[in-house]
Amino acid sequence: MADAVGSIDTPDAQDEAPENRKKSRKGGKRAKKGPLKRLALFYRQIIAELRKVVWPTRNQLTSYTTVVIFFVAIMIAVVTVIDYGLSHAAKYVFG
């Protein structure tokens, strides 16, 4: 079965011709911009992304904070009980 023209295995004749081949620049699009322009673009993109964020209301923030503090307090209590139990078990076993 013969390969079709332009398949991945066999490139077209025009792809091999040097006059049709563009010289690739080192660094791509970033090479033409200086470091300060790239930094400014980075900060503009950060601000654009932050504008897309849906910020919670004060009530939502209060309830989320309360839930997190409550969960952390419960986890502290669980770890404390486990630690207390394991320390007493170690004292019992090792004297």
Side-chain angles (χ1 to χ4, degrees):
M1 187 168 178
D3 289 335
V5 175
S7 71
I8 294 173
D9 296 332
T10 58
D12 291 339
Q14 64 188 5
D15 290 342
E16 294 174 358
E19 64 269 5
N20 289 338
R21 190 179 300 175
K22 291 184 179 179
K23 291 185 178 181
S24 62
R25 248 191 348 244
K26 203 173 192 179
K29 292 182 179 179
R30 290 190 214 168
K32 63 183 174 182
K33 295 181 182 177
L36 291 178
K37 287 188 178 184
R38 285 186 287 170
L39 190 63
L41 174 65
F42 177 70
Y43 283 117
R44 281 196 305 267
Q45 289 174 345
I46 288 174
I47 291 169
E49 287 298 321
L50 285 175
R51 287 185 179 144
K52 294 177 187 177
V53 173
V54 179
W55 297 99
T57 63
R58 184 174 292 272
N59 290 337
Q60 289 173 334
L61 188 62
T62 304
S63 69
Y64 296 159
T65 304
T66 305
V67 167
V68 168
I69 291 173
F70 185 70
F71 178 76
V72 168
I74 289 175
M75 293 309 296
I76 288 172
V78 167
V79 169
T80 302
V81 167
I82 291 172
D83 183 49
Y84 182 75
L86 288 176
S87 68
H88 278 296
K91 285 180 185 176
Y92 178 75
V93 170
F94 297 112

